[in-house]
mmCIF file of all heavy atoms in Angstrom:
data_model
loop_
_atom_site.group_PDB
_atom_site.id
_atom_site.type_symbol
_atom_site.label_atom_id
_atom_site.label_comp_id
_atom_site.label_asym_id
_atom_site.label_seq_id
_atom_site.Cartn_x
_atom_site.Cartn_y
_atom_site.Cartn_z
ATOM 1 N N PHE A 97 15.732 6.375 2.007
ATOM 2 C CA PHE A 97 16.676 5.899 0.989
ATOM 3 C C PHE A 97 17.340 7.130 0.362
ATOM 4 O O PHE A 97 16.886 8.258 0.510
ATOM 5 C CB PHE A 97 16.032 4.994 -0.052
ATOM 6 C CG PHE A 97 15.045 5.679 -0.984
ATOM 7 C CD1 PHE A 97 15.457 6.410 -2.083
ATOM 8 C CD2 PHE A 97 13.675 5.551 -0.770
ATOM 9 C CE1 PHE A 97 14.565 7.021 -2.942
ATOM 10 C CE2 PHE A 97 12.761 6.151 -1.623
ATOM 11 C CZ PHE A 97 13.199 6.904 -2.702
ATOM 12 N N TYR A 98 18.400 6.885 -0.385
ATOM 13 C CA TYR A 98 19.066 7.936 -1.139
ATOM 14 C C TYR A 98 19.566 7.337 -2.434
ATOM 15 O O TYR A 98 20.034 6.198 -2.468
ATOM 16 C CB TYR A 98 20.234 8.562 -0.360
ATOM 17 C CG TYR A 98 20.236 10.079 -0.407
ATOM 18 C CD1 TYR A 98 19.857 10.834 0.695
ATOM 19 C CD2 TYR A 98 20.574 10.763 -1.568
ATOM 20 C CE1 TYR A 98 19.832 12.232 0.670
ATOM 21 C CE2 TYR A 98 20.548 12.160 -1.612
ATOM 22 C CZ TYR A 98 20.164 12.875 -0.499
ATOM 23 O OH TYR A 98 20.125 14.251 -0.545
ATOM 24 N N ASP A 99 19.457 8.124 -3.515
ATOM 25 C CA ASP A 99 19.963 7.708 -4.827
ATOM 26 C C ASP A 99 21.272 8.405 -5.118
ATOM 27 O O ASP A 99 21.407 9.635 -4.884
ATOM 28 C CB ASP A 99 18.958 8.041 -5.904
ATOM 29 C CG ASP A 99 17.695 7.188 -5.816
ATOM 30 O OD1 ASP A 99 17.752 6.146 -5.138
ATOM 31 O OD2 ASP A 99 16.673 7.562 -6.417
ATOM 32 N N PHE A 100 22.239 7.647 -5.663
ATOM 33 C CA PHE A 100 23.581 8.188 -5.914
ATOM 34 C C PHE A 100 24.076 7.772 -7.299
ATOM 35 O O PHE A 100 23.708 6.728 -7.830
ATOM 36 C CB PHE A 100 24.600 7.600 -4.915
ATOM 37 C CG PHE A 100 24.248 7.798 -3.463
ATOM 38 C CD1 PHE A 100 23.584 6.810 -2.768
ATOM 39 C CD2 PHE A 100 24.616 8.962 -2.799
ATOM 40 C CE1 PHE A 100 23.283 6.962 -1.431
ATOM 41 C CE2 PHE A 100 24.301 9.122 -1.468
ATOM 42 C CZ PHE A 100 23.622 8.115 -0.778
ATOM 43 N N GLN A 105 30.711 0.212 -8.135
ATOM 44 C CA GLN A 105 29.463 -0.512 -7.903
ATOM 45 C C GLN A 105 29.387 -0.907 -6.431
ATOM 46 O O GLN A 105 30.210 -1.684 -5.952
ATOM 47 C CB GLN A 105 29.403 -1.751 -8.787
ATOM 48 C CG GLN A 105 28.118 -2.547 -8.652
ATOM 49 C CD GLN A 105 26.893 -1.755 -9.101
ATOM 50 O OE1 GLN A 105 26.898 -1.139 -10.162
ATOM 51 N NE2 GLN A 105 25.853 -1.751 -8.290
ATOM 52 N N LEU A 106 28.421 -0.348 -5.717
ATOM 53 C CA LEU A 106 28.248 -0.683 -4.308
ATOM 54 C C LEU A 106 27.562 -2.044 -4.172
ATOM 55 O O LEU A 106 26.751 -2.432 -4.998
ATOM 56 C CB LEU A 106 27.409 0.391 -3.619
ATOM 57 C CG LEU A 106 28.004 1.800 -3.548
ATOM 58 C CD1 LEU A 106 26.989 2.778 -2.973
ATOM 59 C CD2 LEU A 106 29.269 1.803 -2.726
ATOM 60 N N GLU A 108 26.193 -5.100 -0.925
ATOM 61 C CA GLU A 108 25.768 -5.218 0.478
ATOM 62 C C GLU A 108 26.989 -5.170 1.421
ATOM 63 O O GLU A 108 26.868 -4.726 2.555
ATOM 64 C CB GLU A 108 25.029 -6.543 0.680
ATOM 65 C CG GLU A 108 23.861 -6.766 -0.277
ATOM 66 C CD GLU A 108 22.656 -5.901 0.000
ATOM 67 O OE1 GLU A 108 22.404 -5.581 1.168
ATOM 68 O OE2 GLU A 108 21.939 -5.556 -0.956
ATOM 69 N N SER A 223 19.718 -2.467 2.255
ATOM 70 C CA SER A 223 20.026 -3.062 0.945
ATOM 71 C C SER A 223 20.519 -2.019 -0.025
ATOM 72 O O SER A 223 20.408 -0.806 0.198
ATOM 73 C CB SER A 223 18.776 -3.758 0.372
ATOM 74 O OG SER A 223 17.737 -2.790 0.169
ATOM 75 N N VAL A 224 21.069 -2.513 -1.136
ATOM 76 C CA VAL A 224 21.531 -1.682 -2.253
ATOM 77 C C VAL A 224 20.745 -2.125 -3.492
ATOM 78 O O VAL A 224 20.606 -3.326 -3.721
ATOM 79 C CB VAL A 224 23.018 -1.819 -2.506
ATOM 80 C CG1 VAL A 224 23.449 -0.952 -3.698
ATOM 81 C CG2 VAL A 224 23.817 -1.434 -1.275
ATOM 82 N N GLY A 225 20.244 -1.183 -4.253
ATOM 83 C CA GLY A 225 19.519 -1.527 -5.466
ATOM 84 C C GLY A 225 19.761 -0.488 -6.528
ATOM 85 O O GLY A 225 20.575 0.425 -6.388
ATOM 86 N N GLY A 226 19.035 -0.628 -7.632
ATOM 87 C CA GLY A 226 19.138 0.340 -8.705
ATOM 88 C C GLY A 226 17.859 1.125 -8.853
ATOM 89 O O GLY A 226 16.776 0.664 -8.466
ATOM 90 N N ALA A 227 17.974 2.341 -9.404
ATOM 91 C CA ALA A 227 16.787 3.180 -9.626
ATOM 92 C C ALA A 227 17.132 4.176 -10.718
ATOM 93 O O ALA A 227 18.224 4.730 -10.742
ATOM 94 C CB ALA A 227 16.415 3.924 -8.343
ATOM 95 N N TYR A 228 16.189 4.373 -11.632
ATOM 96 C CA TYR A 228 16.387 5.379 -12.665
ATOM 97 C C TYR A 228 16.106 6.760 -12.096
ATOM 98 O O TYR A 228 15.219 6.936 -11.257
ATOM 99 C CB TYR A 228 15.447 5.128 -13.860
ATOM 100 C CG TYR A 228 15.797 3.885 -14.655
ATOM 101 C CD1 TYR A 228 15.049 2.735 -14.544
ATOM 102 C CD2 TYR A 228 16.897 3.886 -15.518
ATOM 103 C CE1 TYR A 228 15.364 1.603 -15.280
ATOM 104 C CE2 TYR A 228 17.236 2.774 -16.255
ATOM 105 C CZ TYR A 228 16.440 1.620 -16.134
ATOM 106 O OH TYR A 228 16.775 0.514 -16.848
ATOM 107 N N TRP A 229 16.876 7.718 -12.521
ATOM 108 C CA TRP A 229 16.658 9.103 -12.120
ATOM 109 C C TRP A 229 15.258 9.534 -12.511
ATOM 110 O O TRP A 229 14.823 9.342 -13.663
ATOM 111 C CB TRP A 229 17.723 10.001 -12.772
ATOM 112 C CG TRP A 229 17.504 11.478 -12.645
ATOM 113 C CD1 TRP A 229 17.420 12.379 -13.666
ATOM 114 C CD2 TRP A 229 17.385 12.239 -11.436
ATOM 115 N NE1 TRP A 229 17.244 13.653 -13.176
ATOM 116 C CE2 TRP A 229 17.217 13.608 -11.818
ATOM 117 C CE3 TRP A 229 17.376 11.926 -10.091
ATOM 118 C CZ2 TRP A 229 17.064 14.614 -10.869
ATOM 119 C CZ3 TRP A 229 17.225 12.936 -9.144
ATOM 120 C CH2 TRP A 229 17.069 14.270 -9.541
ATOM 121 N N GLY A 231 12.629 8.071 -11.904
ATOM 122 C CA GLY A 231 11.808 6.924 -12.254
ATOM 123 C C GLY A 231 11.604 6.738 -13.754
ATOM 124 O O GLY A 231 10.698 6.014 -14.180
ATOM 125 N N PRO A 236 19.545 8.314 -16.496
ATOM 126 C CA PRO A 236 20.640 7.494 -15.965
ATOM 127 C C PRO A 236 20.157 6.591 -14.841
ATOM 128 O O PRO A 236 19.292 6.936 -14.076
ATOM 129 C CB PRO A 236 21.635 8.540 -15.428
ATOM 130 C CG PRO A 236 21.329 9.803 -16.185
ATOM 131 C CD PRO A 236 19.849 9.758 -16.460
ATOM 132 N N GLN A 237 20.776 5.399 -14.796
ATOM 133 C CA GLN A 237 20.477 4.483 -13.694
ATOM 134 C C GLN A 237 21.404 4.794 -12.520
ATOM 135 O O GLN A 237 22.642 4.858 -12.698
ATOM 136 C CB GLN A 237 20.639 3.030 -14.097
ATOM 137 C CG GLN A 237 20.130 2.074 -13.002
ATOM 138 C CD GLN A 237 20.031 0.645 -13.465
ATOM 139 O OE1 GLN A 237 20.822 0.224 -14.309
ATOM 140 N NE2 GLN A 237 19.071 -0.102 -12.948
ATOM 141 N N LEU A 238 20.816 4.979 -11.359
ATOM 142 C CA LEU A 238 21.567 5.336 -10.159
ATOM 143 C C LEU A 238 21.593 4.145 -9.202
ATOM 144 O O LEU A 238 20.920 3.144 -9.404
ATOM 145 C CB LEU A 238 20.894 6.552 -9.477
ATOM 146 C CG LEU A 238 20.697 7.777 -10.365
ATOM 147 C CD1 LEU A 238 19.892 8.839 -9.642
ATOM 148 C CD2 LEU A 238 22.025 8.345 -10.837
ATOM 149 N N GLN A 239 22.399 4.280 -8.150
ATOM 150 C CA GLN A 239 22.415 3.259 -7.100
ATOM 151 C C GLN A 239 21.613 3.811 -5.917
ATOM 152 O O GLN A 239 21.787 4.946 -5.508
ATOM 153 C CB GLN A 239 23.849 2.964 -6.688
ATOM 154 C CG GLN A 239 24.686 2.343 -7.829
ATOM 155 C CD GLN A 239 26.046 1.884 -7.365
ATOM 156 O OE1 GLN A 239 26.162 1.003 -6.542
ATOM 157 N NE2 GLN A 239 27.091 2.506 -7.898
ATOM 158 N N ARG A 240 20.782 2.951 -5.378
ATOM 159 C CA ARG A 240 19.917 3.359 -4.258
ATOM 160 C C ARG A 240 20.246 2.540 -3.022
ATOM 161 O O ARG A 240 20.318 1.295 -3.091
ATOM 162 C CB ARG A 240 18.450 3.170 -4.621
ATOM 163 C CG ARG A 240 17.481 3.464 -3.463
ATOM 164 C CD ARG A 240 16.035 3.400 -3.914
ATOM 165 N NE ARG A 240 15.705 4.492 -4.827
ATOM 166 C CZ ARG A 240 14.519 4.667 -5.398
ATOM 167 N NH1 ARG A 240 13.542 3.805 -5.145
ATOM 168 N NH2 ARG A 240 14.305 5.697 -6.196
ATOM 169 N N ILE A 241 20.449 3.209 -1.904
ATOM 170 C CA ILE A 241 20.666 2.542 -0.634
ATOM 171 C C ILE A 241 19.440 2.769 0.225
ATOM 172 O O ILE A 241 19.008 3.905 0.417
ATOM 173 C CB ILE A 241 21.933 3.076 0.069
ATOM 174 C CG1 ILE A 241 23.185 2.799 -0.768
ATOM 175 C CG2 ILE A 241 22.076 2.433 1.471
ATOM 176 C CD1 ILE A 241 24.473 3.327 -0.151
ATOM 177 N N TYR A 242 18.890 1.663 0.720
ATOM 178 C CA TYR A 242 17.723 1.708 1.612
ATOM 179 C C TYR A 242 18.157 1.556 3.077
ATOM 180 O O TYR A 242 19.085 0.790 3.377
ATOM 181 C CB TYR A 242 16.740 0.578 1.289
ATOM 182 C CG TYR A 242 16.031 0.701 -0.029
ATOM 183 C CD1 TYR A 242 16.568 0.102 -1.165
ATOM 184 C CD2 TYR A 242 14.842 1.397 -0.129
ATOM 185 C CE1 TYR A 242 15.880 0.182 -2.386
ATOM 186 C CE2 TYR A 242 14.172 1.503 -1.343
ATOM 187 C CZ TYR A 242 14.703 0.883 -2.459
ATOM 188 O OH TYR A 242 14.035 0.992 -3.672
ATOM 189 N N SER A 392 8.078 -0.111 -15.098
ATOM 190 C CA SER A 392 8.540 -1.438 -14.716
ATOM 191 C C SER A 392 9.207 -1.435 -13.364
ATOM 192 O O SER A 392 9.116 -2.414 -12.605
ATOM 193 C CB SER A 392 9.527 -1.982 -15.787
ATOM 194 O OG SER A 392 10.622 -1.111 -15.944
ATOM 195 N N GLY A 393 9.883 -0.333 -13.016
ATOM 196 C CA GLY A 393 10.580 -0.264 -11.718
ATOM 197 C C GLY A 393 9.641 -0.203 -10.525
ATOM 198 O O GLY A 393 10.073 -0.407 -9.393
ATOM 199 N N THR A 394 8.362 0.093 -10.771
ATOM 200 C CA THR A 394 7.395 0.204 -9.665
ATOM 201 C C THR A 394 6.564 -1.057 -9.472
ATOM 202 O O THR A 394 5.851 -1.182 -8.504
ATOM 203 C CB THR A 394 6.435 1.387 -9.873
ATOM 204 O OG1 THR A 394 5.597 1.123 -11.017
ATOM 205 C CG2 THR A 394 7.216 2.683 -10.140
#
Side-chain angles (χ1 to χ4, degrees):
F97 68 81
Y98 226 106
D99 292 342
F100 305 95
Q105 182 63 47
L106 296 174
E108 307 287 328
S223 62
V224 179
Y228 291 105
W229 170 236
Q237 188 169 33
L238 306 173
Q239 297 187 63
R240 175 174 292 179
I241 298 178
Y242 291 93
S392 58
T394 67

